[in-house]
């Protein structure tokens, strides 16, 4: 059974038992005190004259000169000497039923409200825990995947060095790979430390893109990079923006043939990042015609998780010869309208 369901079931069980005990206690108390309350209410009636009593009869009260022994009558003591007063049990039962209905109605409303409130609170708490767990699992899988790629690159370069110890280009590639591993580890550790907490800081998106482009300098050097940036800012954690850009640019480079284009604009209170790359004719079999389901893989899922936290969104489109991604972040000073 789900932990949230167990909490709700436990809460309902404890509440039902507690309310049952409370109802039995309060109804018993009301029943025991009801006779006294009625006696106090009819005491003035006992002091009336016979003619006044006939003119103002009390339906639930029976007056007799002789003691009566009926199961449907409850005797009343100390009202008047020489007369016997009885209260009809049906009247008391009617009063008791009316009281029980009122108490049950109020308690039912309160109980249902508490159950709904508890459910919403527990559901939100459980979703937050599961979201954090899912997010950390994605980070771990993505980190292992990236480290695996980096190690494969290192092995290839080491094999090259075995044949040619004077290959400076190979040494440079190894140095770049180690630098990227170090940067990726720092970025992952930052995301783990911040978790699901949104850090609101002003970030220059254009500057962050330039930093990330330089990070992929060796891969982009073999391609035509079309860079068209504007100086616009957003409010989010710089580390989150860095991870978004890393995943998107890495994906664009991986599936591109010759060209990668990055454009940055401020449109309708949003910071719009457009990333486009050409793809080979065989790319649909690799990337998938359903661009929303494949492509960035773990990187895309992590990116979507981050965007959702900032109520941002990502649009993906694939054509026969190109792959297009648009990320819309909240513009600094603007209120986001999208739920991501």
């Amino acid at each position: 059974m789900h932990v949230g369901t167990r909490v709700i079931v436990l809460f309902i069980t404890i509440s039902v038992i507690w309310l049952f005990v409370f109802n039995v206690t309060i109804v018993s108390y009301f029943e025991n005190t009801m006779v006294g309350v009625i006696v106090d209410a009819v005491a003035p009636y006992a002091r009336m004259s016979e003619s006044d009593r006939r003119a103002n009869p009390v339906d639930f009260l029976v007056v007799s000169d002789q003691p009566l022994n009926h199961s449907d009558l409850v005797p009343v003591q100390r009202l008047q000497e020489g007369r016997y007063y009885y209260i009809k049990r049906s009247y008391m039962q009617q009063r008791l039923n009316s009281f029980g209905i009122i108490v049950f109605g109020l308690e039912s409303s309160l109980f249902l409200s508490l159950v709904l409130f508890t459910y919403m609170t527990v559901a939100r708490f459980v979703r937050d825990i599961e979201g954090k767990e899912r997010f950390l699992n994605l980070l771990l899988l993505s980190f292992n995947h990236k480290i695996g790629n980096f190690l494969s690159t290192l092995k290839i370069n080491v094999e090259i060095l075995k044949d040619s110890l004077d290959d400076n280009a190979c040494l440079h590639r190894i140095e770049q790979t180690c630098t990227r591993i170090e940067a990726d580890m720092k970025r992952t550790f930052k995301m783990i430390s911040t978790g699901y907490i949104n850090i609101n800081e002003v970030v220059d998106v254009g500057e962050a893109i330039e930093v990330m482009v330089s990070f992929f300098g060796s891969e982009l050097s073999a391609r035509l990079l079309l860079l068209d940036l504007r100086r616009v800012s957003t409010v989010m954690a710089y580390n989150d923006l860095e991870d978004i850009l890393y995943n998107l640019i890495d994906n664009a480079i991986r599936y591109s043939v010759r060209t990668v284009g990055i454009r940055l604009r401020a449109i309708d209170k949003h910071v719009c990042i457009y990333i486009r790359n050409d793809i080979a004719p065989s790319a649909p079999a690799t990337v998938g015609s359903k661009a929303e389901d494949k492509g960035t893989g773990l990187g895309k899922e992590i990116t979507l998780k981050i965007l959702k936290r900032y109520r941002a969104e990502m649009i993906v489109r694939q054509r026969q010869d190109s792959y297009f991604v648009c990320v819309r972040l909240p513009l600094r000073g603007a209120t986001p309208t999208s739920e991501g």
Side-chain angles (χ1 to χ4, degrees):
M1 186 182 294
H2 194 276
V3 60
T5 306
R6 289 200 298 267
V7 171
I8 294 297
V9 171
L10 181 62
F11 172 78
I12 293 176
T13 303
I14 295 176
S15 299
V16 168
I17 296 174
W18 186 88
L19 288 176
F20 174 78
V21 175
F22 175 77
N23 286 336
V24 171
T25 304
I26 195 172
V27 170
S28 299
Y29 174 79
F30 180 79
E31 186 177 11
N32 294 331
T33 58
M34 184 168 52
V35 175
V37 172
I38 295 176
V39 169
D40 293 338
V42 300
Y45 177 80
R47 293 190 292 268
M48 291 181 182
S49 63
E50 193 66 29
S51 59
D52 290 336
R53 291 178 185 174
R54 292 193 184 97
N56 301 283
V58 178
D59 295 337
F60 61 84
L61 191 65
V62 175
V63 182
S64 175
D65 296 330
Q66 300 293 330
L68 302 176
N69 187 14
H70 295 285
S71 60
D72 60 338
L73 297 178
V74 179
V76 178
Q77 305 295 331
R78 298 183 305 275
L79 267 183
Q80 189 181 25
E81 293 294 336
R83 304 297 293 271
Y84 297 91
Y85 292 83
Y86 300 88
I87 300 173
K88 293 180 180 180
R89 194 177 297 275
S90 59
Y91 172 77
M92 295 182 60
Q93 188 64 41
Q94 181 183 356
R95 291 285 301 271
L96 189 63
N97 291 340
S98 300
F99 177 77
I101 291 174
I102 294 174
V103 171
F104 178 78
L106 293 175
E107 286 185 350
S108 297
S109 301
L110 177 62
F111 178 69
L112 292 176
S113 300
L114 287 175
V115 170
L116 179 61
F117 175 77
T118 304
Y119 171 77
M120 295 176 64
T121 303
V122 171
R124 182 176 180 181
F125 178 72
V126 171
R127 281 197 302 268
D128 186 59
I129 293 178
E130 291 178 343
K132 290 180 179 179
E133 182 181 359
R134 174 66 173 168
F135 187 68
L136 291 176
N137 287 337
L138 286 173
L139 283 179
L140 181 60
L141 291 173
S142 177
F143 181 73
N144 289 338
H145 176 70
K146 293 173 183 177
I147 291 297
N149 292 337
F150 292 149
L151 290 177
S152 298
T153 303
L154 285 175
K155 288 180 180 179
I156 293 174
N157 288 315
V158 168
E159 292 297 327
I160 295 175
L161 280 178
K162 289 180 179 179
D163 298 331
S164 176
L165 296 177
D166 297 329
D167 193 340
N168 293 328
C170 184
L171 290 174
H172 180 67
R173 287 194 299 270
I174 292 177
E175 183 181 9
Q176 281 189 323
T177 301
C178 293
T179 302
R180 290 183 59 177
I181 291 176
E182 182 181 10
D184 194 70
M185 289 181 65
K186 289 181 179 179
R187 182 169 53 254
T188 302
F189 290 147
K190 284 182 181 179
M191 295 191 71
I192 293 175
S193 63
T194 57
Y196 256 30
I197 301 174
N198 286 356
I199 300 175
N200 296 324
E201 55 181 309
V202 179
V203 180
D204 188 325
V205 182
E207 181 179 333
I209 292 176
E210 290 176 346
V211 171
M212 193 54 59
V213 166
S214 64
F215 185 79
F216 286 98
S218 59
E219 290 88 344
L220 289 172
S221 62
R223 291 166 177 80
L224 174 62
L225 175 63
L226 304 176
L227 208 58
D228 184 6
L229 306 179
R230 296 289 187 273
R231 291 299 174 184
V232 293
S233 299
T234 188
V235 179
M236 63 186 305
Y238 181 84
N239 186 68
D240 289 340
L241 177 61
E242 189 179 54
D243 204 71
I244 290 172
L245 294 174
Y246 177 91
N247 292 325
L248 296 180
I249 295 177
D250 178 66
N251 185 72
I253 294 173
R254 182 175 304 171
Y255 294 108
S256 66
V257 180
R258 291 180 299 273
T259 306
V260 174
I262 304 175
R263 188 159 59 99
L264 176 64
R265 292 290 186 274
I267 302 175
D268 296 334
K269 299 181 180 180
H270 288 88
V271 176
C272 297
I273 305 173
Y274 304 97
I275 300 178
R276 183 190 300 272
N277 62 274
D278 58 349
I279 56 178
S282 59
T286 304
V287 181
S289 56
K290 295 182 179 179
E292 294 82 0
D293 297 332
K294 299 182 181 179
T296 54
L298 290 173
K300 176 175 180 285
E301 194 164 353
I302 294 175
T303 300
L304 291 175
K305 286 283 187 181
I306 298 174
L307 292 175
K308 187 176 181 180
R309 290 162 54 191
Y310 293 96
R311 296 185 178 181
E313 64 179 357
M314 181 173 70
I315 301 172
V316 178
R317 291 193 181 95
Q318 181 176 337
R319 297 181 179 177
Q320 185 176 2
D321 58 349
S322 63
Y323 190 82
F324 172 82
V325 177
C326 173
V327 173
R328 299 205 311 170
L329 303 171
L331 184 65
R332 179 190 178 188
T335 302
T337 58
S338 174
E339 294 296 332

